[in-house]
Amino acid sequence: MASTTVEIARPPDEVFAFVTDPTKLSAWQDAEEVQQLTEGPVRAGTRFREVHKAMGRRRVELTEVVEHDPGRLFHIRVVEGPPVDGRWEFAPTPAGGTRVTLTPLAHLPGRARIANRAMEQMTALAFRRFHRRLKRALEQGAM
């Protein structure tokens, strides 16, 4: 399974809050627009409509929170859009920061399943860039 990790000099609760705040998504991903479709605080079952721009193309996704364990785990399932889910784990570092690990989970159907591993690796590679932006945003005080 492919994954990517970044260490951020902020406590896990702060990093988790930033990553799971839909209004902050454009600060570290290629999201142009995010609309929360489910009322109330973000939790398991919350759905979002996300508009992303990648390689000059706009892409609309419908996502749903699968797991929401503050400061520890955040898992998003793509309901409509690229068949790759994201599972972020947050762990404290000895220096008081956070180690964030994303594990992409591809779910191509049928015979296309053979490409799941490659899709997970490509997603992890793209998120290395997003995680660098996340680190900059958090460490430069964009909270």
Side-chain angles (χ1 to χ4, degrees):
M1 218 177 277
S3 66
T4 183
T5 300
V6 64
E7 290 195 11
I8 299 172
R10 301 289 281 223
D13 288 340
E14 288 182 21
V15 177
F16 183 90
F18 192 90
V19 167
T20 62
D21 182 344
T23 67
K24 307 281 191 210
L25 196 61
S26 63
W28 65 282
Q29 285 192 33
D30 61 5
E32 291 186 332
E33 178 187 327
V34 179
Q35 176 186 13
Q36 186 170 328
L37 303 175
T38 309
E39 290 186 27
V42 176
R43 63 193 180 286
T46 299
R47 286 193 169 202
F48 300 97
R49 179 184 174 276
E50 303 176 17
V51 179
H52 294 267
K53 186 171 184 182
M55 297 182 282
R57 299 175 69 190
R58 288 173 51 99
R59 177 183 80 238
V60 177
E61 299 177 6
L62 177 63
T63 59
E64 180 177 85
V65 177
V66 176
E67 294 177 89
H68 185 274
D69 186 1
R72 292 182 190 78
L73 178 65
F74 186 62
H75 180 170
I76 288 280
R77 178 172 63 97
V78 177
V79 178
E80 293 176 13
V84 183
D85 302 345
R87 188 175 194 277
W88 283 266
E89 295 178 66
F90 303 80
T93 64
T98 305
R99 179 176 300 108
V100 180
T101 302
L102 165 70
T103 303
L105 305 163
H107 45 89
L108 290 165
R111 290 184 177 174
R113 282 191 310 248
I114 195 164
N116 279 339
R117 184 164 169 80
M119 183 172 265
E120 291 168 353
Q121 290 172 335
M122 290 182 341
T123 301
L125 184 61
F127 269 86
R128 283 190 187 107
R129 180 173 51 92
F130 294 150
H131 284 173
R132 284 192 299 269
R133 289 170 58 185
L134 176 66
K135 178 179 176 71
R136 265 194 314 273
L138 283 162
E139 290 181 352
Q140 294 173 359
M143 297 291 296

